Structures are given as C-alpha cells and as structure tokens.
Amino acid sequence: MRSKPLSRPARVIITAALALAALALGTFIFIVWGGGVALSDRTMLWRMLRDEGIEAPAPEVALRQLQAPAGWSVSMFATGLPTARMMTATATGDVIVAQPRGGLVVLLERDADGDGRSDGRLTLFAGLDRPNGVDLHDGWLYVAEATRVSRVRFDASARAAQGALQPVVTGLGGDGNHWRKTARIGPDGRLYVGLGSTCNVCIEQDPQRATMRVYAADDSGGREFATGLRNPTGFDWAPWDSALYATENGRDLLGDDIPPDELNRIEDGGFYGWPLVHGDGIIDPEFGKGQQARIAAARRPAHAFRAHNAPLGMRFLRKPARGAAYERTALVALHGSWNRSVPDGYAVVSLHWDAAGKVTERPFLTGFRGPAGLIGRPVDVLEGPDGAVYVSDDYAGVIYRVTPPPSPPPSPPA
C-alpha cells in the first residue's frame, strides 16, 4: 500500500524539527566534549542557551582577578542584577539599567557615602517585554523593548518616572536570534534604533531587521538609516565630529578566526555588507556569489576586532580632565566568544583615534576569564557624571565601577 505524501507544511515542520534536534545534539557534544574549551566556558554556553547566569563572584575573587589601567580602581557597584544589559546615567549620578529577564528597568542610587557601592535601588518598571536599551534625553527616559520603544517623563531629583511609558515606535520584530533593541537619542535630537538580524546569516524577510533606523524623538514615523548590519548593539557619536559609530558581531560558523567583529562608521544610506560580505572583503560562501556590485558598494569597517569577541556596548569618553591618554577614545565591552576552540574576548577595551582617523585597540578592564574561571561577560560601558566608568555584566548580574586616578592639582599661578 502506497503511503500518502506529506503536505508541504508538514514537510517544513519535520525539516525544522530535525534541524533543531541536530543543533541541540551538536551543542550537547560541544558542551561535553568540546576540544580546547575551558569547562567554565562550556558551562557558560549551556547557561546562555537557558537564559541563565551565575552567582556574582566573591568581591575578593573579582577584584583580585580584574585588572584596570594603572591608577584606576575597581569596585562592585551593584550585584543581584540577572541579565543586566544597557545603561544610562542621570544628571545626579544614578545609573539606570535594563534587565530583559523579568522585564525590569532598575535605578541604582549613586555612591554618596564613598564605599564604592550603590546606596540602594529602585524598580522603575517591571513586566516589560524584554527591555534592553535605555537612554535619557531632555527630561525623557526612553526604553527599548523587544517590539517597541517607549518614553516617559523622568524626574532625576525625585528618582521617579512621571506616569506610564508611552509608545513612540511600535511594530518592531521581536523574534529570532537578535531580538534585543538598542535606542539612543543622537546629537541631532532624533531617535536611533538598532535592530539585529533574525539569524546567523540569511536573506531577511523583515526589511526592518539588520538595520539602523531613525525616528523623530516623539513620533513613530521613521525610516531606514543604514542596512547590512547583522547586530548593531552598541552605538555612540564621536564628540569631536558627531560621527556615528556602531559595534557589530560577525557571522558564526566560518572558523575560529574569521570573520572579524567590527566597528562601523554609520552613514545615512550606507550598506555594511551583511549577509553578502564580512569584515574587509570576506565574501560569504552562501550568499555572496554573484553579488559583486553590492559587495563593492559595501562600507568597510572602521576597526576590526578579533573574531567572535562579540563587541556590544560602546561609549566615547567625554571628560576633558582625563588628559591626552584618553583624548578621542571610546570604551567597548567585549561579551566574549562562545564558538571558538580557544575562548577569547571577555574584556573591556579602549579604542584610540589618531589625527588621521586610524584606530588603535588597547586593554582597559581584563580578567573576566582567568584563574578563578569565567566570572563575567561585559555588556555595556557608561561614563558617569562623576567620571567613573560603569560596566554591566549579564552573566554574573554585576555592575562594576572603575574609578579614574585623582586629577593632579592645578599648577599655581606664575
């Protein structure tokens, strides 16, 4: 007896199920027998797949393992913040952080008593749809959830939102791999939103994904600003010329060392290559063939990070008292690799622009992976009004505070 052929939807479902099963089996084999991968990193992958983290390391362990530049000091500003992601600072020195798990936006009170730790915390919002990006501008607090961006009037002195969040941008796709959204107000007063791809590498069906979009600060009528951006998580504007730069995680599964992760200078109308070409001319084996014209038009990175370092949040340093060593400098959080045979990343680095625009990368805060194992994964960096640098860690649920050396006293008058 001949069996009835399966319908097309049934074949699609079966194929997808088999693919997921193969991925799960491969992940299990990698976690258990992955050659060259430290046990803590295999544990990290397992926890990442389950959207979990670890307990915060003991302060003596973290502060012994973490290394900052000479003269800078490190403290654990706050703990107990699972999936802590992007941050913004109030004018009074408090830190606001988003936690996708639990749908939280939390305010961490500034360190008024000088012990290096936040003096307390307040939950501003709960039950949101996986909030990730937060920004403050002109008395408004902006919150980027998985499918929308909202805003509310915020009183920094009272540490309170004045009312409920009001949607500004809606209808953003919240499915797939890179569902987190980052939203910031630019120096031109417009709202910029980074939307990652649904996949590792594919032709997107949703034209909004893998793009940077721009909107009026109070109106959802927006447009495409730049395309070909696989996952533009962190972005900021250079204080010397207002140029927009964004981090990008390169595609996976081409090997340990290709393609590099990227820092891109984002320009209106620019195409940045994904999924056709990666880095400085690495043509994608699946989607790059026959696309020579579009590949030739793709913008090249302003800086290349090592492959799979996963650069996320970035901020330019703006405090003039830092001196020449940190002039024209940005800090970038490297979340760290999950698919290299030898793990890499797990640090905060500084990028330095010379007069010709060349970028040099240097270590800033290292040691998240060290003798005590993997103790954290940096996500975002923030320069507070007090000049301290705050680093969020979504793996251990910690906000670190990196304090600069005291400024030298002014020279006496002649």
Side-chain angles (χ1 to χ4, degrees), residues 130-170:
R130 296 165 287 168
N132 180 71
V134 287
D135 197 23
L136 282 166
H137 177 77
D138 198 22
W140 293 94
L141 171 63
Y142 290 80
V143 178
E145 299 174 68
T147 60
R148 70 177 188 174
V149 180
S150 303
R151 72 175 189 170
V152 64
R153 279 289 181 187
F154 186 78
D155 186 335
S157 298
R159 294 172 169 152
Q162 299 176 323
L165 284 167
Q166 301 298 319
V168 176
V169 179
T170 59

mmCIF file of all heavy atoms in Angstrom, residues 130-170:
data_model
loop_
_atom_site.group_PDB
_atom_site.id
_atom_site.type_symbol
_atom_site.label_atom_id
_atom_site.label_comp_id
_atom_site.label_asym_id
_atom_site.label_seq_id
_atom_site.Cartn_x
_atom_site.Cartn_y
_atom_site.Cartn_z
ATOM 1 N N ARG A 130 10.992 42.227 27.555
ATOM 2 C CA ARG A 130 12.427 42.054 27.350
ATOM 3 C C ARG A 130 13.142 43.382 27.054
ATOM 4 O O ARG A 130 13.750 43.562 26.003
ATOM 5 C CB ARG A 130 12.684 41.061 26.210
ATOM 6 C CG ARG A 130 12.180 39.650 26.497
ATOM 7 C CD ARG A 130 12.127 38.813 25.232
ATOM 8 N NE ARG A 130 11.020 39.240 24.363
ATOM 9 C CZ ARG A 130 10.889 38.845 23.094
ATOM 10 N NH1 ARG A 130 11.781 38.036 22.550
ATOM 11 N NH2 ARG A 130 9.857 39.263 22.382
ATOM 12 N N PRO A 131 13.091 44.334 27.984
ATOM 13 C CA PRO A 131 13.766 45.614 27.761
ATOM 14 C C PRO A 131 15.273 45.434 27.664
ATOM 15 O O PRO A 131 15.863 44.609 28.363
ATOM 16 C CB PRO A 131 13.381 46.432 28.997
ATOM 17 C CG PRO A 131 13.139 45.395 30.051
ATOM 18 C CD PRO A 131 12.520 44.235 29.333
ATOM 19 N N ASN A 132 15.905 46.208 26.781
ATOM 20 C CA ASN A 132 17.349 46.132 26.601
ATOM 21 C C ASN A 132 17.985 47.517 26.607
ATOM 22 O O ASN A 132 18.872 47.797 27.386
ATOM 23 C CB ASN A 132 17.676 45.416 25.293
ATOM 24 C CG ASN A 132 19.165 45.313 25.051
ATOM 25 O OD1 ASN A 132 19.857 44.562 25.730
ATOM 26 N ND2 ASN A 132 19.682 46.079 24.087
ATOM 27 N N GLY A 133 17.530 48.410 25.715
ATOM 28 C CA GLY A 133 18.129 49.723 25.607
ATOM 29 C C GLY A 133 17.439 50.744 26.488
ATOM 30 O O GLY A 133 16.210 50.749 26.608
ATOM 31 N N VAL A 134 18.217 51.630 27.116
ATOM 32 C CA VAL A 134 17.673 52.736 27.903
ATOM 33 C C VAL A 134 18.498 53.977 27.581
ATOM 34 O O VAL A 134 19.701 53.899 27.345
ATOM 35 C CB VAL A 134 17.708 52.453 29.424
ATOM 36 C CG1 VAL A 134 16.657 51.436 29.824
ATOM 37 C CG2 VAL A 134 19.090 51.975 29.873
ATOM 38 N N ASP A 135 17.828 55.133 27.573
ATOM 39 C CA ASP A 135 18.526 56.384 27.320
ATOM 40 C C ASP A 135 17.744 57.527 27.953
ATOM 41 O O ASP A 135 16.511 57.461 28.076
ATOM 42 C CB ASP A 135 18.682 56.628 25.811
ATOM 43 C CG ASP A 135 19.748 57.672 25.498
ATOM 44 O OD1 ASP A 135 20.644 57.883 26.346
ATOM 45 O OD2 ASP A 135 19.711 58.266 24.399
ATOM 46 N N LEU A 136 18.457 58.563 28.382
ATOM 47 C CA LEU A 136 17.856 59.771 28.936
ATOM 48 C C LEU A 136 18.197 60.948 28.042
ATOM 49 O O LEU A 136 19.357 61.125 27.637
ATOM 50 C CB LEU A 136 18.382 60.040 30.353
ATOM 51 C CG LEU A 136 17.781 59.207 31.487
ATOM 52 C CD1 LEU A 136 18.626 59.342 32.744
ATOM 53 C CD2 LEU A 136 16.350 59.639 31.776
ATOM 54 N N HIS A 137 17.166 61.758 27.750
ATOM 55 C CA HIS A 137 17.410 62.940 26.926
ATOM 56 C C HIS A 137 16.328 63.976 27.186
ATOM 57 O O HIS A 137 15.128 63.662 27.093
ATOM 58 C CB HIS A 137 17.424 62.576 25.434
ATOM 59 C CG HIS A 137 17.601 63.758 24.536
ATOM 60 N ND1 HIS A 137 18.835 64.359 24.345
ATOM 61 C CD2 HIS A 137 16.723 64.454 23.779
ATOM 62 C CE1 HIS A 137 18.691 65.370 23.503
ATOM 63 N NE2 HIS A 137 17.424 65.456 23.151
ATOM 64 N N ASP A 138 16.755 65.182 27.533
ATOM 65 C CA ASP A 138 15.848 66.311 27.646
ATOM 66 C C ASP A 138 14.664 66.017 28.579
ATOM 67 O O ASP A 138 13.524 66.378 28.287
ATOM 68 C CB ASP A 138 15.352 66.704 26.246
ATOM 69 C CG ASP A 138 14.764 68.111 26.219
ATOM 70 O OD1 ASP A 138 15.112 68.906 27.108
ATOM 71 O OD2 ASP A 138 13.941 68.405 25.320
ATOM 72 N N GLY A 139 14.940 65.331 29.686
ATOM 73 C CA GLY A 139 13.891 65.047 30.663
ATOM 74 C C GLY A 139 13.028 63.849 30.349
ATOM 75 O O GLY A 139 12.052 63.588 31.062
ATOM 76 N N TRP A 140 13.368 63.080 29.305
ATOM 77 C CA TRP A 140 12.627 61.873 28.933
ATOM 78 C C TRP A 140 13.505 60.640 29.134
ATOM 79 O O TRP A 140 14.700 60.658 28.808
ATOM 80 C CB TRP A 140 12.188 61.916 27.466
ATOM 81 C CG TRP A 140 11.162 62.952 27.132
ATOM 82 C CD1 TRP A 140 11.391 64.209 26.663
ATOM 83 C CD2 TRP A 140 9.737 62.806 27.224
ATOM 84 N NE1 TRP A 140 10.207 64.868 26.458
ATOM 85 C CE2 TRP A 140 9.168 64.035 26.789
ATOM 86 C CE3 TRP A 140 8.894 61.778 27.620
ATOM 87 C CZ2 TRP A 140 7.791 64.259 26.741
ATOM 88 C CZ3 TRP A 140 7.526 61.994 27.586
ATOM 89 C CH2 TRP A 140 6.990 63.214 27.151
ATOM 90 N N LEU A 141 12.905 59.577 29.656
ATOM 91 C CA LEU A 141 13.546 58.271 29.728
ATOM 92 C C LEU A 141 12.986 57.409 28.600
ATOM 93 O O LEU A 141 11.775 57.200 28.509
ATOM 94 C CB LEU A 141 13.265 57.603 31.078
ATOM 95 C CG LEU A 141 13.698 56.139 31.216
ATOM 96 C CD1 LEU A 141 15.207 55.985 31.071
ATOM 97 C CD2 LEU A 141 13.221 55.560 32.550
ATOM 98 N N TYR A 142 13.880 56.926 27.733
ATOM 99 C CA TYR A 142 13.495 56.046 26.627
ATOM 100 C C TYR A 142 13.844 54.609 26.994
ATOM 101 O O TYR A 142 14.932 54.340 27.531
ATOM 102 C CB TYR A 142 14.223 56.447 25.339
ATOM 103 C CG TYR A 142 13.752 57.764 24.763
ATOM 104 C CD1 TYR A 142 14.208 58.979 25.273
ATOM 105 C CD2 TYR A 142 12.840 57.795 23.711
ATOM 106 C CE1 TYR A 142 13.769 60.196 24.751
ATOM 107 C CE2 TYR A 142 12.396 59.004 23.185
ATOM 108 C CZ TYR A 142 12.858 60.194 23.717
ATOM 109 O OH TYR A 142 12.410 61.385 23.196
ATOM 110 N N VAL A 143 12.925 53.682 26.691
ATOM 111 C CA VAL A 143 13.128 52.258 26.971
ATOM 112 C C VAL A 143 12.837 51.474 25.694
ATOM 113 O O VAL A 143 11.745 51.596 25.118
ATOM 114 C CB VAL A 143 12.209 51.762 28.111
ATOM 115 C CG1 VAL A 143 12.421 50.266 28.338
ATOM 116 C CG2 VAL A 143 12.481 52.543 29.394
ATOM 117 N N ALA A 144 13.810 50.686 25.251
ATOM 118 C CA ALA A 144 13.647 49.860 24.050
ATOM 119 C C ALA A 144 13.337 48.431 24.471
ATOM 120 O O ALA A 144 14.191 47.735 25.039
ATOM 121 C CB ALA A 144 14.906 49.893 23.194
ATOM 122 N N GLU A 145 12.114 47.994 24.221
ATOM 123 C CA GLU A 145 11.712 46.613 24.456
ATOM 124 C C GLU A 145 11.907 45.811 23.169
ATOM 125 O O GLU A 145 12.382 46.341 22.155
ATOM 126 C CB GLU A 145 10.265 46.569 24.921
ATOM 127 C CG GLU A 145 10.028 47.330 26.227
ATOM 128 C CD GLU A 145 8.559 47.396 26.603
ATOM 129 O OE1 GLU A 145 7.982 46.339 26.934
ATOM 130 O OE2 GLU A 145 7.980 48.505 26.544
ATOM 131 N N ALA A 146 11.515 44.550 23.188
ATOM 132 C CA ALA A 146 11.755 43.685 22.038
ATOM 133 C C ALA A 146 10.987 44.135 20.804
ATOM 134 O O ALA A 146 11.458 43.957 19.672
ATOM 135 C CB ALA A 146 11.404 42.239 22.385
ATOM 136 N N THR A 147 9.796 44.708 20.978
ATOM 137 C CA THR A 147 8.965 45.049 19.824
ATOM 138 C C THR A 147 8.587 46.525 19.753
ATOM 139 O O THR A 147 7.839 46.917 18.864
ATOM 140 C CB THR A 147 7.664 44.220 19.823
ATOM 141 O OG1 THR A 147 6.921 44.506 21.028
ATOM 142 C CG2 THR A 147 7.967 42.738 19.752
ATOM 143 N N ARG A 148 9.083 47.354 20.688
ATOM 144 C CA ARG A 148 8.706 48.761 20.654
ATOM 145 C C ARG A 148 9.712 49.595 21.436
ATOM 146 O O ARG A 148 10.525 49.067 22.214
ATOM 147 C CB ARG A 148 7.312 48.966 21.236
ATOM 148 C CG ARG A 148 7.228 48.739 22.738
ATOM 149 C CD ARG A 148 5.837 49.016 23.289
ATOM 150 N NE ARG A 148 5.822 48.986 24.749
ATOM 151 C CZ ARG A 148 4.769 49.297 25.495
ATOM 152 N NH1 ARG A 148 3.630 49.657 24.898
ATOM 153 N NH2 ARG A 148 4.816 49.256 26.803
ATOM 154 N N VAL A 149 9.647 50.914 21.209
ATOM 155 C CA VAL A 149 10.392 51.885 22.007
ATOM 156 C C VAL A 149 9.374 52.840 22.618
ATOM 157 O O VAL A 149 8.493 53.355 21.920
ATOM 158 C CB VAL A 149 11.411 52.662 21.164
ATOM 159 C CG1 VAL A 149 12.166 53.666 22.043
ATOM 160 C CG2 VAL A 149 12.390 51.719 20.474
ATOM 161 N N SER A 150 9.481 53.056 23.935
ATOM 162 C CA SER A 150 8.562 53.939 24.640
ATOM 163 C C SER A 150 9.350 55.002 25.389
ATOM 164 O O SER A 150 10.574 54.903 25.536
ATOM 165 C CB SER A 150 7.698 53.148 25.619
ATOM 166 O OG SER A 150 6.987 52.117 24.971
ATOM 167 N N ARG A 151 8.643 56.008 25.882
ATOM 168 C CA ARG A 151 9.295 57.032 26.686
ATOM 169 C C ARG A 151 8.340 57.534 27.764
ATOM 170 O O ARG A 151 7.118 57.372 27.673
ATOM 171 C CB ARG A 151 9.787 58.188 25.827
ATOM 172 C CG ARG A 151 8.706 59.094 25.261
ATOM 173 C CD ARG A 151 9.321 60.272 24.521
ATOM 174 N NE ARG A 151 8.319 61.276 24.153
ATOM 175 C CZ ARG A 151 8.613 62.475 23.679
ATOM 176 N NH1 ARG A 151 9.875 62.839 23.509
ATOM 177 N NH2 ARG A 151 7.644 63.328 23.367
ATOM 178 N N VAL A 152 8.939 58.166 28.795
ATOM 179 C CA VAL A 152 8.173 58.715 29.900
ATOM 180 C C VAL A 152 8.966 59.874 30.487
ATOM 181 O O VAL A 152 10.207 59.869 30.460
ATOM 182 C CB VAL A 152 7.905 57.628 30.969
ATOM 183 C CG1 VAL A 152 9.202 57.136 31.599
ATOM 184 C CG2 VAL A 152 6.956 58.129 32.039
ATOM 185 N N ARG A 153 8.272 60.887 30.970
ATOM 186 C CA ARG A 153 8.951 61.962 31.669
ATOM 187 C C ARG A 153 9.615 61.413 32.933
ATOM 188 O O ARG A 153 9.032 60.603 33.655
ATOM 189 C CB ARG A 153 7.971 63.067 32.051
ATOM 190 C CG ARG A 153 7.656 64.023 30.921
ATOM 191 C CD ARG A 153 8.844 64.904 30.620
ATOM 192 N NE ARG A 153 8.605 65.859 29.555
ATOM 193 C CZ ARG A 153 9.539 66.630 29.043
ATOM 194 N NH1 ARG A 153 10.789 66.537 29.486
ATOM 195 N NH2 ARG A 153 9.261 67.483 28.083
ATOM 196 N N PHE A 154 10.866 61.868 33.184
ATOM 197 C CA PHE A 154 11.605 61.327 34.320
ATOM 198 C C PHE A 154 12.192 62.466 35.131
ATOM 199 O O PHE A 154 12.855 63.359 34.601
ATOM 200 C CB PHE A 154 12.725 60.398 33.849
ATOM 201 C CG PHE A 154 13.441 59.700 34.965
ATOM 202 C CD1 PHE A 154 12.868 58.596 35.591
ATOM 203 C CD2 PHE A 154 14.665 60.162 35.419
ATOM 204 C CE1 PHE A 154 13.514 57.969 36.647
ATOM 205 C CE2 PHE A 154 15.318 59.539 36.462
ATOM 206 C CZ PHE A 154 14.740 58.439 37.088
ATOM 207 N N ASP A 155 11.938 62.422 36.456
ATOM 208 C CA ASP A 155 12.447 63.411 37.392
ATOM 209 C C ASP A 155 13.678 62.816 38.085
ATOM 210 O O ASP A 155 13.557 61.953 38.952
ATOM 211 C CB ASP A 155 11.369 63.757 38.424
ATOM 212 C CG ASP A 155 11.782 64.898 39.350
ATOM 213 O OD1 ASP A 155 12.990 65.111 39.537
ATOM 214 O OD2 ASP A 155 10.886 65.565 39.894
ATOM 215 N N ALA A 156 14.857 63.269 37.684
ATOM 216 C CA ALA A 156 16.088 62.697 38.226
ATOM 217 C C ALA A 156 16.244 62.995 39.705
ATOM 218 O O ALA A 156 16.735 62.159 40.478
ATOM 219 C CB ALA A 156 17.295 63.216 37.445
ATOM 220 N N SER A 157 15.829 64.170 40.145
ATOM 221 C CA SER A 157 15.970 64.522 41.565
ATOM 222 C C SER A 157 15.087 63.651 42.448
ATOM 223 O O SER A 157 15.485 63.229 43.532
ATOM 224 C CB SER A 157 15.619 65.996 41.776
ATOM 225 O OG SER A 157 16.501 66.826 41.054
ATOM 226 N N ALA A 158 13.866 63.367 41.971
ATOM 227 C CA ALA A 158 12.940 62.532 42.732
ATOM 228 C C ALA A 158 13.147 61.048 42.467
ATOM 229 O O ALA A 158 12.524 60.221 43.122
ATOM 230 C CB ALA A 158 11.499 62.914 42.394
ATOM 231 N N ARG A 159 14.003 60.724 41.469
ATOM 232 C CA ARG A 159 14.247 59.330 41.083
ATOM 233 C C ARG A 159 12.946 58.619 40.726
ATOM 234 O O ARG A 159 12.697 57.489 41.132
ATOM 235 C CB ARG A 159 14.966 58.580 42.194
ATOM 236 C CG ARG A 159 16.373 59.068 42.469
ATOM 237 C CD ARG A 159 16.988 58.435 43.696
ATOM 238 N NE ARG A 159 18.417 58.716 43.780
ATOM 239 C CZ ARG A 159 19.109 58.774 44.910
ATOM 240 N NH1 ARG A 159 18.478 58.604 46.069
ATOM 241 N NH2 ARG A 159 20.403 59.024 44.896
ATOM 242 N N ALA A 160 12.116 59.301 39.924
ATOM 243 C CA ALA A 160 10.789 58.757 39.637
ATOM 244 C C ALA A 160 10.349 59.101 38.228
ATOM 245 O O ALA A 160 10.610 60.204 37.728
ATOM 246 C CB ALA A 160 9.769 59.289 40.643
ATOM 247 N N ALA A 161 9.668 58.119 37.607
ATOM 248 C CA ALA A 161 9.002 58.367 36.328
ATOM 249 C C ALA A 161 7.668 59.049 36.593
ATOM 250 O O ALA A 161 6.980 58.747 37.570
ATOM 251 C CB ALA A 161 8.783 57.054 35.588
ATOM 252 N N GLN A 162 7.311 59.965 35.728
ATOM 253 C CA GLN A 162 6.081 60.727 35.904
ATOM 254 C C GLN A 162 5.009 60.175 34.973
ATOM 255 O O GLN A 162 4.768 60.697 33.892
ATOM 256 C CB GLN A 162 6.347 62.211 35.641
ATOM 257 C CG GLN A 162 7.372 62.795 36.603
ATOM 258 C CD GLN A 162 7.718 64.241 36.305
ATOM 259 O OE1 GLN A 162 7.787 64.649 35.148
ATOM 260 N NE2 GLN A 162 7.955 65.024 37.345
ATOM 261 N N GLY A 163 4.412 59.070 35.410
ATOM 262 C CA GLY A 163 3.375 58.437 34.609
ATOM 263 C C GLY A 163 3.821 57.109 34.046
ATOM 264 O O GLY A 163 4.809 56.514 34.491
ATOM 265 N N ALA A 164 3.083 56.647 33.035
ATOM 266 C CA ALA A 164 3.366 55.357 32.397
ATOM 267 C C ALA A 164 4.154 55.560 31.115
ATOM 268 O O ALA A 164 4.163 56.644 30.532
ATOM 269 C CB ALA A 164 2.051 54.639 32.084
ATOM 270 N N LEU A 165 4.835 54.505 30.686
ATOM 271 C CA LEU A 165 5.543 54.549 29.414
ATOM 272 C C LEU A 165 4.559 54.733 28.261
ATOM 273 O O LEU A 165 3.526 54.060 28.201
ATOM 274 C CB LEU A 165 6.333 53.256 29.211
ATOM 275 C CG LEU A 165 7.626 53.102 30.024
ATOM 276 C CD1 LEU A 165 8.114 51.670 29.963
ATOM 277 C CD2 LEU A 165 8.704 54.060 29.510
ATOM 278 N N GLN A 166 4.900 55.635 27.343
ATOM 279 C CA GLN A 166 4.062 55.890 26.174
ATOM 280 C C GLN A 166 4.816 55.440 24.928
ATOM 281 O O GLN A 166 5.936 55.897 24.672
ATOM 282 C CB GLN A 166 3.734 57.381 26.069
ATOM 283 C CG GLN A 166 3.006 57.934 27.273
ATOM 284 C CD GLN A 166 1.654 57.269 27.489
ATOM 285 O OE1 GLN A 166 0.916 57.017 26.537
ATOM 286 N NE2 GLN A 166 1.325 56.981 28.745
ATOM 287 N N PRO A 167 4.236 54.534 24.121
ATOM 288 C CA PRO A 167 4.940 54.035 22.933
ATOM 289 C C PRO A 167 5.270 55.156 21.950
ATOM 290 O O PRO A 167 4.441 56.033 21.678
ATOM 291 C CB PRO A 167 3.952 53.036 22.329
ATOM 292 C CG PRO A 167 3.056 52.650 23.462
ATOM 293 C CD PRO A 167 2.944 53.862 24.319
ATOM 294 N N VAL A 168 6.489 55.127 21.441
ATOM 295 C CA VAL A 168 6.933 56.042 20.400
ATOM 296 C C VAL A 168 7.072 55.292 19.081
ATOM 297 O O VAL A 168 6.645 55.765 18.032
ATOM 298 C CB VAL A 168 8.270 56.704 20.789
ATOM 299 C CG1 VAL A 168 8.798 57.580 19.660
ATOM 300 C CG2 VAL A 168 8.120 57.519 22.066
ATOM 301 N N VAL A 169 7.691 54.115 19.133
ATOM 302 C CA VAL A 169 7.876 53.257 17.955
ATOM 303 C C VAL A 169 7.283 51.894 18.275
ATOM 304 O O VAL A 169 7.591 51.311 19.322
ATOM 305 C CB VAL A 169 9.364 53.112 17.593
ATOM 306 C CG1 VAL A 169 9.539 52.196 16.382
ATOM 307 C CG2 VAL A 169 10.000 54.464 17.334
ATOM 308 N N THR A 170 6.430 51.375 17.420
ATOM 309 C CA THR A 170 5.826 50.051 17.611
ATOM 310 C C THR A 170 6.042 49.211 16.357
ATOM 311 O O THR A 170 6.544 49.686 15.340
ATOM 312 C CB THR A 170 4.322 50.179 17.900
ATOM 313 O OG1 THR A 170 3.692 50.858 16.800
ATOM 314 C CG2 THR A 170 4.072 50.966 19.181
#
